[in-house]
Amino acid sequence: MIPNRSAHADNHPESLGNSMNNVENRPDKPEEACGVFGIYAPEQDVAKLAYFGLYALQHRGQESAGIATFEGERVHLYKDMGLVSQVFNESILQDLVGDLAVGHTRYSTTGSSRKVNAQPAVVETRLGSLALAHNGNLVNTGKLREELVNNNCNLVSTTDSEMIAFAIAEEVNAGKDWLEGAIRAFHRCQGAFSLVIGTPNGIMGVRDPNGIRPLVIGTIEGNPVRYVLASETCGLDIIGAEYLREVQPGEVVWINEEGLASFQWTPKPQRKLCIFEMIYFARPDSVMHNESLYSYRMRLGRRLAQESLVDADLVIGVPDSGIPAAIGYSQISGIPYAEGLIKNRYVGRTFIQPTQNMRESGIRMKLNPLKDVLYGKRVVIIDDSIVRGTTSRKLVKALRDAGALEVHMRISSPPVTHPCFYGIDTDSQDHLIAARMSVEEIAKQLEVDTLAYLTWDGMVEATREDPGSFCSACFTGKYPVPVPEPLKGSKLILEKTSV
């Protein structure tokens, strides 16, 4: 039996969210992936450590959060809609006792934003319960769901994550142990999946053969050493865990009382980390390729200045993700950097629509321009990406209303021309402004004086890694994992453009 204390009604029904799905009101960014966390530490308060790990990963998803702990064979589960700090309190965490914990914070990419789709997904097997937290998207969900339904699996959610959990349960119930059953199930999955899986015997950390979504391993000092899994290193830092290494593409790590064991579950892994993790999704203090992403994003700004210099008085960044690139741009261009926009960091997702006057006045719920800084100035504004262009246009208008004489927009990534099928919601292709318009047309649409994007070469060269080790399909249309035509056709509405 699985005690689940999230018993009250679904407080964010789909009807409330429908109005948020129209193009005008959605954020002008690729929407976040999810955050996963796992810890095996019998002598520690694993629920509280999982809470803080998820707290650090909150930027990856703000719709729901959940933690499952294992106390021997008994599973304690709590999950609900809302931010991590809204879902949990001291009383709830005290009831989540056990030796290991699995946590998740969600942005919905498969399955609607409802409590039934919150994670971890918990299913029963002949060896006991398993709890699964998933970051990514499968591309063969239709086929996998059909297989599971034909095998009489009682799917209760609409997420591919639950399907992975049931696929593991099927293999285990057929007589395999946890590790063998999980590996057999992974071979049934195609797409992007970084997983943390809790069982009565230990936890697993898994990445798909391309390692499209990130997953790292940390250690907690002691005798014996204990292990932590997290989507990013910032999830380790907050609890004082030391970064050990990343889980490799096509690797499964098995963590229990004996320590950490590693298994390569696929014969030909080929690294294809989502490059948008480096540009935008992951926190700037998280480490990838042995450096903080803040350093990488500053290099993007330096390269952007080399490629598209403009004569201006100030460089400003769109908080928070555009700031490191803006600083880099300032360093190379010699144009002073200043804060021209102040972000309200306490604004989360809201289901209350602003008044018509508020919509017309721009985006000031989240960003407010500093008039005395901007007045009479020629401004270069740096952002990491433009997806639909709706927010960017409002932002330009706000800068002009604040007295900016000229507005020159620079983007520290190439034009986003293709949707993502691997766990990021970039919308269908007809909503991607760069798939429909040239750079000159976008500049006119946004009402900027000039617009320039970073080149693809500049973006990948700034990584200082093999350009072939990244997935950049949203810029190129070259998908590392084949996407079934029905799924592809639902988002790829336009022909590939030459923007």
Side-chain angles (χ1 to χ4, degrees):
M1 182 175 178
I2 306 165
N4 181 352
R5 297 188 58 232
S6 55
H8 56 82
D10 190 348
N11 55 4
H12 284 186
E14 288 174 291
S15 60
L16 288 176
N18 285 340
S19 60
M20 295 295 287
N21 289 331
N22 65 67
V23 174
E24 183 66 22
N25 291 321
R26 293 183 64 186
D28 190 18
K29 294 285 183 183
E31 296 291 356
E32 296 89 341
C34 297
V36 299
F37 186 89
I39 181 169
Y40 182 89
E43 61 286 330
Q44 306 236 12
D45 188 343
V46 292
K48 187 165 285 189
L49 293 174
Y51 168 84
F52 284 111
L54 294 178
Y55 191 85
L57 298 171
Q58 184 73 85
H59 59 287
R60 299 187 66 86
Q62 299 89 44
E63 293 189 359
S64 64
I67 295 173
T69 61
F70 283 75
E71 183 186 18
E73 297 290 326
R74 185 180 173 91
V75 182
H76 303 275
L77 172 67
Y78 191 92
K79 55 185 179 180
D80 207 346
M81 304 301 293
L83 302 176
V84 175
S85 60
Q86 296 169 330
V87 170
F88 296 101
N89 57 38
E90 290 277 1
S91 174
I92 292 167
L93 292 173
Q94 284 175 4
D95 289 343
L96 296 175
V97 296
D99 296 334
L100 62 91
V102 172
H104 189 268
T105 182
R106 181 172 192 258
Y107 172 79
S108 59
T109 51
T110 296
S112 58
S113 178
R114 297 185 299 150
K115 194 171 69 176
V116 70
N117 290 332
Q119 296 184 40
V122 176
V123 299
E124 297 291 340
T125 78
R126 68 179 182 86
L127 298 178
S129 301
L130 75 84
L132 181 144
H134 173 208
N135 176 22
N137 250 33
L138 302 186
V139 296
N140 67 327
T141 50
K143 180 175 182 292
L144 183 57
R145 185 178 184 86
E146 184 179 356
E147 290 176 4
L148 295 169
V149 170
N150 288 341
N151 293 338
N152 298 316
C153 286
N154 183 26
L155 298 169
V156 297
S157 77
T158 57
T159 69
D160 53 355
S161 311
E162 186 193 34
M163 294 181 208
I164 302 172
F166 268 107
I168 297 171
E170 275 193 346
E171 302 293 346
V172 169
N173 290 338
K176 300 172 184 67
D177 62 20
W178 286 117
L179 190 61
E180 184 185 3
I183 290 174
R184 286 291 295 268
F186 302 152
H187 283 288
R188 298 169 63 183
C189 300
Q190 298 170 21
F193 51 97
S194 285
L195 308 171
V196 175
I197 303 167
T199 76
N201 302 109
I203 62 172
M204 293 181 218
V206 188
R207 285 178 85 188
D208 64 76
N210 297 115
I212 294 173
R213 307 259 75 86
L215 188 64
V216 299
I217 309 169
T219 58
I220 297 177
E221 289 185 3
N223 188 16
V225 171
R226 298 306 188 185
Y227 293 93
V228 184
L229 299 164
S231 292
E232 299 176 33
T233 61
C234 63
L236 308 177
D237 296 337
I238 194 171
I239 63 169
E242 289 293 322
Y243 171 61
L244 178 63
R245 64 175 179 87
E246 66 176 54
V247 177
Q248 297 298 317
E251 181 186 19
V252 53
V253 294
W254 178 237
I255 301 167
N256 56 23
E257 189 59 32
E258 297 177 4
L260 183 147
S262 169
F263 305 89
Q264 199 68 35
W265 66 267
T266 187
K268 295 181 179 179
Q270 185 179 13
R271 180 185 303 275
K272 291 287 183 181
L273 175 70
C274 171
I275 201 162
F276 242 120
E277 292 281 357
M278 300 186 64
I279 295 167
Y280 169 64
F281 290 121
R283 261 178 37 173
D285 54 329
S286 285
V287 172
M288 291 184 181
H289 307 114
N290 299 313
E291 70 170 353
S292 73
L293 292 177
Y294 183 90
S295 297
Y296 170 65
R297 292 167 187 173
M298 283 185 67
R299 283 201 300 277
L300 293 178
R302 294 186 191 118
R303 179 65 180 254
L304 189 58
Q306 292 168 347
E307 293 182 359
S308 56
L309 197 60
V310 65
D311 189 20
D313 303 309
L314 290 177
V315 177
I316 67 172
V318 177
D320 289 313
S321 55
I323 289 175
I327 293 171
Y329 192 99
S330 172
Q331 290 173 342
I332 293 299
S333 67
I335 302 170
Y337 169 80
E339 285 196 33
L341 294 164
I342 299 302
K343 181 178 181 180
N344 180 0
R345 287 174 173 80
Y346 299 96
V347 173
R349 293 173 186 258
T350 175
F351 289 89
I352 306 302
Q353 292 298 297
T355 66
Q356 182 64 26
N357 285 341
M358 289 172 68
R359 283 195 293 271
E360 291 173 355
S361 70
I363 55 171
R364 295 177 189 177
M365 275 183 68
K366 290 190 175 182
L367 294 171
N368 203 31
L370 290 169
K371 293 183 180 180
D372 55 340
V373 173
L374 298 166
Y375 187 82
K377 298 294 195 301
R378 299 169 299 167
V379 178
V380 182
I381 181 168
I382 311 291
D383 205 354
D384 56 82
S385 60
I386 302 175
V387 176
R388 287 167 285 272
T390 50
T391 301
S392 298
R393 183 173 179 174
K394 292 177 181 178
L395 188 55
V396 171
K397 183 180 185 302
L399 296 177
R400 293 200 187 280
D401 288 347
L405 291 180
E406 298 175 7
V407 179
H408 303 273
M409 183 167 279
R410 296 294 181 266
I411 306 300
S412 61
S413 66
V416 176
T417 55
H418 287 74
C420 177
F421 298 93
Y422 307 134
I424 294 170
D425 183 11
T426 46
D427 225 325
S428 57
Q429 198 176 25
D430 62 332
H431 288 160
L432 304 178
I433 192 170
R436 298 181 286 107
M437 298 181 181
S438 68
V439 173
E440 293 74 19
E441 289 169 334
I442 296 170
K444 186 176 180 180
Q445 177 79 10
L446 302 184
E447 299 183 346
V448 292
D449 293 277
T450 65
L451 169 68
Y453 291 83
L454 186 66
T455 62
W456 185 88
D457 286 340
M459 174 185 69
V460 294
E461 286 174 12
T463 67
R464 298 175 177 170
E465 298 289 329
D466 176 8
S469 66
F470 297 98
C471 175
S472 56
C474 51
F475 306 119
T476 65
K478 297 176 181 177
Y479 296 97
V481 182
V483 180
E485 286 304 318
L487 179 61
K488 205 172 186 179
S490 69
K491 283 191 173 184
L492 286 175
I493 295 174
L494 308 175
E495 294 291 327
K496 183 178 178 182
T497 68
S498 58
V499 176

